[in-house]
Amino acid sequence: MRNTFSRNLSRKKVMSTDGMVIGTIRNIMVDLKSGEVTDLVVKPEQNFDTSNYAVEGDKLFVPFEAVKDIRDYIVVDRYLFSRK
């Protein structure tokens, strides 16, 4: 995956590898010691079932290792961050 500035992530849509729109990115979480992005904070779409995912209030947390590509959408493997 290519390098991307955090400002380019603002308000991007998050989509799963199977084409489902999950939501819109609201923030990122970073490990302050290493500087690595750990999680994306996403506001889920109203029709996205969040019952199998890590949610706090109206925020869905997507581990950065689930990200597969960043272009027009942020593409994630939603099975890598579900609570099974």
Side-chain angles (χ1 to χ4, degrees):
M1 184 171 15
R2 62 190 171 100
N3 290 335
T4 303
F5 289 107
S6 60
R7 69 177 169 259
N8 294 337
L9 299 177
S10 178
R11 307 270 185 224
K12 274 197 185 278
K13 292 282 187 179
V14 179
M15 176 184 283
S16 67
T17 51
D18 58 359
M20 178 181 291
V21 177
I22 295 171
T24 306
I25 191 164
R26 291 294 182 223
N27 212 339
I28 59 173
M29 297 182 75
V30 176
D31 180 325
L32 294 178
K33 290 182 181 178
S34 68
E36 292 185 16
V37 176
T38 58
D39 295 281
L40 302 177
V41 181
V42 176
K43 180 177 183 196
E45 293 287 312
Q46 287 183 337
N47 61 346
F48 184 73
D49 180 14
T50 60
S51 60
N52 292 322
Y53 301 94
V55 178
E56 187 178 299
D58 67 342
K59 298 176 189 96
L60 174 68
F61 293 89
V62 178
F64 194 70
E65 64 247 12
V67 174
K68 298 299 179 190
D69 196 15
I70 301 173
R71 294 190 190 213
D72 293 334
Y73 286 87
I74 298 171
V75 180
V76 299
D77 185 337
R78 66 186 170 112
Y79 300 105
L80 288 179
F81 68 96
S82 65
R83 290 185 273 161
K84 296 182 179 178

